[in-house]
Amino acid sequence: MSRLEAKKPPLFISEPLTRDAVSQSLSLLSGILKSSYGPAGRLKQLHNGVGGCVCTTSQSAALLGHLSLSQPVLRVLTASVRNHVSRFSDCGLFTAILCCGFIENFRSLNVAPFAVIKISKHLLSLCMDHLKSEACGCRVSVDFSSVETLVCLVRSVLTSKPACMLNKTEVDHLTSLVLKAFIFTVPRHVETNAVLGKCVVIPVKGGRVADSTVLPGLLVEAPEIQLGKPLTVKRTGSNVIKVALFSVSMSGDGSNPEEGTIVVHHGVSLEVSELNQLLNVGKQLVKDEVGLVVCQKVMHPSLKQFLKEQGVVAVDRAGLSLMEPLGRVTGNRPPIASIHSLPPGCYGSLKDLCLESFASKRFLHLIPEDTVICSLILCNRSETAWDELKRVCETAEHVLQLTVKEPLALLGGGCTETHLASYIRHKSSSLPASTLRDLGCSQTQYRWVAEGFCCSLESVARSLSHDGEEVLTDVVYGHCWFIPPGSPWVSRWSDLVSRCGCGVSGSTEDLSWSCLQGQSGSPVLQGCPREPSVKAADLQVLDCFAAKCSGLQVALETANLILDLSYIIEDQN
């Protein structure tokens, strides 16, 4: 009998943000995230120390999913960021870095937490109102009748993750594929409640990126089907292929507990009875002129052989992830969930069925009459690069879907962050007395919090510099500029810079710059940052509007939650 121990009292930790261990952990996490940010971000290799899978990445979802955190404060932060990524797929590192910046800058102020929270919420509302206004200088309208802005949006996502190891030609090829795949998922006939389709990524690891392609319809792996022989498929009188889609096991092992209790009489073989039932199902399928049978789980070899002899193509082990797109492609929704009854109208249909081969894999290509499902055959040289590329392509597709709902984008390359910082400094320099009364703070407190807010935004822009580049902001548009490391000293910065981070502004204009250096911040602009004339051809980097706006809100709300923590109570048992 094991020894019984008395229960230990819970551990109370007061003012957790004042503890050195929490501060050091937060600073370490912030450094990891900042060094991973942007196209030149450094890769991180994550493993559990006792063997198993090794992950090489700079993506927030993979980073935060593999990190083991002991500090409750950091677990709150990462859980909040991961929830944002699960909803928007993009701007995870932006959200996490900004949240760390808010915490580090606000906690060093000699201002009560409740005042910091009220003032920062007001600053956030100023940012959101500005981003949603027509006069916003860092917002771009997305025109779906022109492909240029969409190409820039997708390319910005693809080039943001260096672990994909793509050259320019490969980036251009994948950008066109992702856009083509997205167009396949848009319904041709728009209804009141139109629903976008789905792009299914098919892995081909070890191939060339240039061999990647996209096909309308769905590819289902079928290793048992031989390529040399022509594929003959039974068709109905109306020249369509009838499809039966089963979500239940057809292995004949009787392991379907959801169908209830089975009573077996003496002298009756359960296996033989199950096989006879399966063969009866096969006969019914042949009688109903079914040409393709797809089973989510295992199919009995005898049933597969019987269907093959009758000219019916049979595929098993399709897997749960393919069932939803299979149902949409064939119209077989919901799938058949029992082998004891085949109700009328339980079948779907296809326009055509053919064989495809990529690398060493063989697929059945399901071609419907009209579909919003497509297959992206994604190739890359190594498993690590393929895993990263798959996540990036799925993010790009999600960004396009979000942009359909809200056809806007934000300037990338750090320009939105520095522009917002310039805008907040301008607004806080001439604050009406009524606003201070409503917030219950002094003008000095407001300016301290506003400066911490702006420094946090600018720290995100500075995180794009990994090789010692000097980071500047101009005092006209509030955009972000980078001077290459090791540049010679010159009297004019315009001799060293060509274009800002997003590509919209050029150094040929009559601009003046200031340096972003740590906590010092930038000088207040003479006026509100102006709106540059944006040409689609000049755009180099764009960010998803919905994802970045959400990231800004999540970062501040999470930081305020953590700043408001007065106790952490841990169970020691």
Side-chain angles (χ1 to χ4, degrees), residues 271-290:
E271 290 77 10
V272 172
S273 177
E274 281 279 324
L275 180 56
N276 288 335
Q277 178 59 38
L278 288 171
L279 293 175
N280 287 335
V281 170
K283 292 173 183 176
Q284 183 65 45
L285 293 171
V286 172
K287 182 181 177 182
D288 292 342
E289 297 183 297
V290 171

Side-chain angles (χ1 to χ4, degrees), residues 252-324:
D253 58 6
S255 58
N256 293 319
E258 66 272 9
E259 294 193 359
T261 304
I262 300 175
V263 179
V264 182
H265 296 284
H266 179 71
V268 176
S269 169
L270 180 60
E271 290 77 10
V272 172
S273 177
E274 281 279 324
L275 180 56
N276 288 335
Q277 178 59 38
L278 288 171
L279 293 175
N280 287 335
V281 170
K283 292 173 183 176
Q284 183 65 45
L285 293 171
V286 172
K287 182 181 177 182
D288 292 342
E289 297 183 297
V290 171
L292 173 65
V293 179
V294 182
C295 180
Q296 175 188 334
K297 302 176 182 179
V298 178
M299 190 181 295
H300 197 287
S302 297
L303 176 60
K304 292 176 77 173
Q305 182 62 32
F306 170 78
L307 292 172
K308 182 179 179 181
E309 291 171 353
Q310 300 298 319
V312 179
V313 178
V315 179
D316 64 349
R317 295 182 174 90
L320 180 61
S321 61
L322 273 184
M323 294 306 287
E324 191 267 338

Side-chain angles (χ1 to χ4, degrees), residues 11-16 22 71-73 565-570:
L11 177 64
F12 289 81
I13 304 172
S14 62
E15 303 300 333
V22 175
Q71 293 291 344
V73 168
L565 288 174
S566 58
Y567 279 95
I568 291 176
I569 305 171
E570 287 190 27

Side-chain angles (χ1 to χ4, degrees), residues 199-503:
C199 174
V200 179
V201 178
I202 307 296
V204 180
K205 301 174 185 179
R208 300 183 309 150
V209 176
D211 295 332
S212 301
T213 188
V214 63
L215 296 172
L218 190 62
L219 291 183
V220 179
E221 193 167 356
E224 296 178 2
I225 296 179
Q226 298 178 0
L227 285 175
K229 298 181 180 179
L231 184 66
T232 55
V233 189
K234 181 184 290 187
R235 296 176 180 267
T236 63
S238 54
N239 200 33
V240 298
I241 301 169
K242 194 177 283 189
V243 182
L245 180 60
F246 287 88
S247 61
V248 67
S249 173
M250 304 179 79
S251 63
D253 58 6
S255 58
N256 293 319
E258 66 272 9
E259 294 193 359
T261 304
I262 300 175
V263 179
V264 182
H265 296 284
H266 179 71
V268 176
S269 169
L270 180 60
E271 290 77 10
V272 172
S273 177
E274 281 279 324
L275 180 56
N276 288 335
Q277 178 59 38
L278 288 171
L279 293 175
N280 287 335
V281 170
K283 292 173 183 176
Q284 183 65 45
L285 293 171
V286 172
K287 182 181 177 182
D288 292 342
E289 297 183 297
V290 171
L292 173 65
V293 179
V294 182
C295 180
Q296 175 188 334
K297 302 176 182 179
V298 178
M299 190 181 295
H300 197 287
S302 297
L303 176 60
K304 292 176 77 173
Q305 182 62 32
F306 170 78
L307 292 172
K308 182 179 179 181
E309 291 171 353
Q310 300 298 319
V312 179
V313 178
V315 179
D316 64 349
R317 295 182 174 90
L320 180 61
S321 61
L322 273 184
M323 294 306 287
E324 191 267 338
L326 274 169
R328 295 184 71 171
V329 165
T330 62
N332 205 160
R333 291 189 288 179
I336 303 167
S338 173
I339 61 171
H340 297 287
S341 62
L342 297 177
C346 66
Y347 302 125
S349 63
L350 289 172
K351 177 184 176 182
D352 201 1
L353 185 67
C354 61
L355 287 173
E356 299 283 354
S357 174
F358 297 96
S360 59
K361 294 187 175 184
R362 297 186 291 276
F363 299 91
L364 280 177
H365 184 193
L366 281 59
I367 305 171
E369 190 68 44
D370 186 16
T371 183
V372 289
I373 303 292
C374 68
S375 299
L376 174 61
I377 298 91
L378 196 58
C379 310
N380 211 339
R381 290 169 284 274
S382 67
E383 186 169 353
T384 296
W386 186 91
D387 291 339
E388 191 86 345
L389 187 58
K390 177 179 182 288
R391 287 190 289 262
V392 167
C393 289
E394 289 173 343
T395 298
E397 184 197 8
H398 195 185
V399 163
L400 290 172
Q401 292 171 348
L402 292 169
T403 307
V404 168
K405 297 178 183 177
E406 200 166 12
L408 297 168
L410 291 173
L411 301 178
C415 290
T416 291
E417 290 84 347
T418 54
H419 174 90
L420 286 177
S422 298
Y423 176 78
I424 292 298
R425 285 198 178 93
H426 164 70
K427 296 293 287 186
S428 61
S429 66
S430 57
L431 197 69
S434 58
T435 302
L436 294 175
R437 284 197 301 271
D438 293 340
L439 294 172
C441 67
S442 67
Q443 189 170 27
T444 301
Q445 288 176 322
Y446 186 92
R447 287 194 173 180
W448 282 351
V449 176
E451 188 60 30
F453 190 96
C454 295
C455 286
S456 301
L457 285 167
E458 290 171 342
S459 73
V460 179
R462 288 198 309 273
S463 299
L464 290 167
S465 170
H466 299 283
D467 297 305
E469 298 97 336
E470 195 77 55
V471 186
L472 314 175
T473 181
D474 69 81
V475 296
V476 177
Y477 304 114
H479 281 210
C480 184
W481 304 72
F482 298 90
I483 293 180
S487 297
W489 186 90
V490 292
S491 58
R492 295 196 314 163
W493 269 328
S494 58
D495 296 335
L496 295 176
V497 294
S498 56
R499 287 207 164 269
C500 65
C502 69

Side-chain angles (χ1 to χ4, degrees), residues 113-128:
F114 73 90
V116 171
I117 291 170
K118 286 189 72 173
I119 296 168
S120 63
K121 284 183 177 178
H122 173 73
L123 295 170
L124 175 65
S125 68
L126 290 178
C127 284
M128 298 309 297

Side-chain angles (χ1 to χ4, degrees), residues 175-224:
T175 298
S176 65
L177 289 185
V178 170
L179 276 174
K180 188 176 179 181
F182 172 71
I183 292 169
F184 277 135
T185 65
V186 178
R188 292 183 184 178
H189 310 291
V190 179
E191 301 172 1
T192 307
N193 298 317
V195 178
L196 292 173
K198 183 179 180 66
C199 174
V200 179
V201 178
I202 307 296
V204 180
K205 301 174 185 179
R208 300 183 309 150
V209 176
D211 295 332
S212 301
T213 188
V214 63
L215 296 172
L218 190 62
L219 291 183
V220 179
E221 193 167 356
E224 296 178 2

